[in-house]
Amino acid sequence: MTRDEWIALLVLATAASFTPGPNTTLSTALAANFGLRRALRFVLAVPVGWGVLLLACAWGVGALVLAFPLLRGAIVIGGAAYLLWLAARLARSAQLGQARAEQLQVGFAQGVALQFLNIKAWMLALAIVAGWIAGRPDAAARTAQVLPLMLIFGLASNLTYAAVGSLLRHWLAQGRRLLVFNRCMAAALLATTAWMLWGAW
């Protein structure tokens, strides 16, 4: 790829990865409630799931999603429903560790699966495939260059948000701070869900 293409990709990767979204919100909330070690399962799942999603889009699955509005709608509705479910459980957690696995089920497998229900992840993958990979004679080589970069950004952004959540953990343990924090995180998930639904139609 040319120097200009790399610069444009880095700008896109930074903006897309470090702006708040369902992944970063959940990384923060999980680390604040359970600690950084517990959150790492989800933090590691995000780039893995998104990497598989990018490869699927590069191989043509993304074109199917765009070609069939009902399929795209199912992804949006499914993702919105899952985020609403998570927000409802998070909003009721008032003590560290109270949001147990059965209440806030977001482990590695769920983190990977969430990428396929995240319309922001789909749009980013489709934009990268359209702008940097599709129709190029060196598409395979470009995919091999783009994929590791985006995985690094996905890991770095979610790890950063999780680290912030972990640093706040002991401060949040006092009084009703954790409940307020969790409700703020739940509100962020609700806002993300509203943004996903608004942008999808």
Side-chain angles (χ1 to χ4, degrees), residues 22-23 44-66 71-72 75-76 110-130 133 143 146-147 150-151 196:
N23 292 325
L44 293 172
V46 171
V48 170
W50 192 85
V52 174
L53 179 60
L54 178 66
L55 290 175
C57 288
W59 294 334
V61 174
L64 287 176
V65 172
L66 293 177
L71 179 57
R72 185 171 185 266
I75 291 169
V76 173
Q110 291 81 10
V112 170
L114 179 59
Q115 305 317 301
F116 291 86
L117 296 175
N118 182 351
I119 198 65
K120 179 183 176 184
W122 276 100
M123 293 300 103
L124 177 60
L126 290 169
I128 289 174
V129 169
I133 297 172
T143 302
V146 168
L147 182 59
M150 296 306 298
L151 295 183
M196 284 172 48

Side-chain angles (χ1 to χ4, degrees), residues 34-192:
F34 300 110
L36 186 57
R37 177 179 289 185
R38 167 65 176 80
L40 281 178
R41 284 182 274 176
F42 178 75
V43 168
L44 293 172
V46 171
V48 170
W50 192 85
V52 174
L53 179 60
L54 178 66
L55 290 175
C57 288
W59 294 334
V61 174
L64 287 176
V65 172
L66 293 177
F68 294 96
L70 285 178
L71 179 57
R72 185 171 185 266
I75 291 169
V76 173
I77 298 300
Y82 185 60
L83 291 178
L84 290 173
W85 181 80
L86 289 173
R89 273 135 190 86
L90 187 59
R92 292 196 296 264
S93 302
Q95 297 176 351
L96 293 176
Q98 183 180 328
R100 304 186 195 284
E102 64 269 16
Q103 291 179 312
L104 191 61
Q105 295 199 19
V106 189
F108 186 85
Q110 291 81 10
V112 170
L114 179 59
Q115 305 317 301
F116 291 86
L117 296 175
N118 182 351
I119 198 65
K120 179 183 176 184
W122 276 100
M123 293 300 103
L124 177 60
L126 290 169
I128 289 174
V129 169
W132 282 268
I133 297 172
R136 312 283 182 143
D138 58 343
R142 283 171 172 262
T143 302
Q145 293 174 319
V146 168
L147 182 59
L149 176 71
M150 296 306 298
L151 295 183
I152 290 169
F153 269 84
L155 177 61
S157 64
N158 283 278
L159 189 56
T160 300
Y161 276 84
V164 170
S166 180
L167 289 173
L168 292 173
R169 182 171 165 77
H170 294 297
W171 182 81
L172 291 170
Q174 302 173 36
R176 293 172 54 85
R177 290 175 181 173
L178 185 68
L179 179 61
V180 173
F181 175 82
N182 282 340
R183 287 182 175 173
C184 288
M185 292 295 98
L189 285 177
L190 290 175
T192 301

